[in-house]
Amino acid sequence: MAISEEEAKLERFLEWLQVNGAELRGCNIKYSDSRKGFGIFASSSSTQASDAFWKMSDVLLVVPLDLAITPMRVLQDPLLGPECQKMFQQGQVDDRFLMILFLTLERLRINSSWKPYLDMLPTRFGNPLWFSDVDILELKGTNLYHATELQKKKLMSLYHEKVEPLVKQLLILDGDSQSEVSSEHFLWANSVFWSRALNIPLPHSFVFPQSQEDVGEYLSTSHTPETDQVSSNVEKDIQAQVPGATSLGPGDTVWVEGLVPGIDFCNHDLKPAATWEVDGTGLVSSVPFSMYLLSVAQQCIPNKEVSISYGNKGNEELLYLYGFVIENNPDDYLMVHYPVEAIPSIPFSDTKGQLLEAQKAQLRCLLPKSALNHGFFPQTTSKIRESDEKETVRYCSFSWSGQRKMPSYMNKLVFPEDFMTGLRTIAMQEEEIYKVSAMLEELVESRPDEQPSETEVRMAIWEACGDSGAFQLLVDLLNAKMMKLEENSGTEEQDARLLEEACCDEEPSRDWDGRRMSRNKWSSVVYRRGQKQLTRLFLKEAEHALHLALSSSDHH
């Protein structure tokens, strides 16, 4: 019987895992569907002889950390290592770029030892970098449209300036004159990294083996970020307890981003059946320095897909990084921001700029859908997540005359105070600015040796302005956001209709091939519809708050 190309690939990969010391104990890797690619499934016989170790029967898969693609691994690579060491020391690149460069090169190398793994990875992705010119228009008006344009520009210039010349040179060094590098290889490597990397708490002794102190040196060097993310996610000696590796003392952990072949075939679910942990000593998995997949389900249902959670992420982040969305995602959020570039053109921009700085005000905020549960118009009666419980405190030890009363709506406010204080400052009128200056002067006179604190500046501004200016500005921002979304892609109702038509009697997770709507379009419509819904709901909250602020004594 002829086996399909997919099966042959899988066969080679499983053999490669085994040769490299990985163990599939209670699971199989199988093709899931065209949307998810390969996934991990509970095997039909997950109770094995090793059941005597009750803990072990929950371990589904063990992968030695030596098999992980990490920055250290790239720096030790015989071909790429020396070049990367140079760039790294000059501070030209960050550790994420190293891994993306490594993936680009290894995919092209004819005799790469990573071939069985790399062949298993998807060749195209569902994130907007891979959208056609027609598909990308579905995102017009959303944050992602702009973010994708910027990202593409950045990656392209990075490719032409650094990647292309270096990879060409290394392929020749490797004796390979056949392979041609293209920007698509680099885009592929970028998407592989962002959709599959984990932040791994590595045991200190694994990262800094006694004989290789020099390799460890690079971790503490400072370098410029190539991406606008945190420059280096390697936080040496971070005080962290590693789940499942309690034998490590605090501070004995180095967090490193990397790819772990095998574990990275776990797909995402809101109700995950498994979680991954690092085993430094081998106590749990009997493989020291390994990562294992642990079943957390009550019982393992044979042949059911084993999923993990990628964290509480909104559709904006899921689509941007992983290329998929979740309909009615409970973790969805709306990003609202006041455009920084508009500040120079507002009245008294210098003074306001200084005040924004003095109070560490935010001009952007993420508004989670779950925050609506304790607003003026709760959507559901569901229990509020602990993480959403927040005390908004407006209190200051210094007391000015004519103190404003705490408004009655305080505890129903869904907008974070960091953002509110930023908006209050932007919206200040001339007489309010004078008032604040006078109040802060009074404060400094009372204790000349000390500058007003962040909180005191915030309180003085609130004392002088109240909330109505900030709410009015917020209503304007949300209205503008709604207009931009609707102008570009119609109303929330139109999106809902599109999705209904696409879905008539079919699960969206079924094969995309026979559908009337492409997967990219479907993802875009689900995402933008969520954005319109959240904009509408937060606008309603802001309008109500404005109404209360104007009608209460808040309005001096």
Side-chain angles (χ1 to χ4, degrees), residues 512-528:
W512 291 90
D513 312 333
R515 299 170 51 94
R516 276 181 291 178
M517 190 189 278
S518 76
R519 173 184 160 185
N520 291 350
K521 180 167 177 179
W522 185 82
S523 301
S524 305
V525 178
V526 169
Y527 156 62
R528 75 190 189 206

Side-chain angles (χ1 to χ4, degrees), residues 395-412:
Y395 169 75
C396 167
S397 51
F398 189 83
S399 152
W400 290 281
S401 54
Q403 278 224 299
R404 212 174 255 289
K405 281 209 298 290
M406 262 325 136
S408 53
Y409 52 76
M410 274 294 291
N411 56 349
K412 292 267 193 211

Side-chain angles (χ1 to χ4, degrees), residues 31 42 118 121 189 212 251 265 272 286 327 366 437 464 479 484 517:
Y31 189 69
L118 299 177
L121 303 179
Q212 289 175 314
F265 285 96
S286 70
E327 267 194 293
L366 297 181
S437 305
N479 269 322
K484 193 173 168 190
M517 190 189 278

Side-chain angles (χ1 to χ4, degrees), residues 402-448:
Q403 278 224 299
R404 212 174 255 289
K405 281 209 298 290
M406 262 325 136
S408 53
Y409 52 76
M410 274 294 291
N411 56 349
K412 292 267 193 211
L413 222 46
V414 295
F415 305 102
E417 192 58 25
D418 285 353
F419 186 57
M420 286 296 297
T421 202
L423 295 182
R424 265 182 221 118
T425 309
I426 296 280
M428 281 167 95
Q429 302 297 311
E430 185 169 6
E431 69 279 7
E432 292 168 341
I433 291 182
Y434 293 134
K435 205 167 177 180
V436 169
S437 305
M439 288 161 83
L440 293 175
E441 269 164 35
E442 185 188 333
L443 178 66
V444 173
E445 277 163 20
S446 74
R447 36 149 234 237

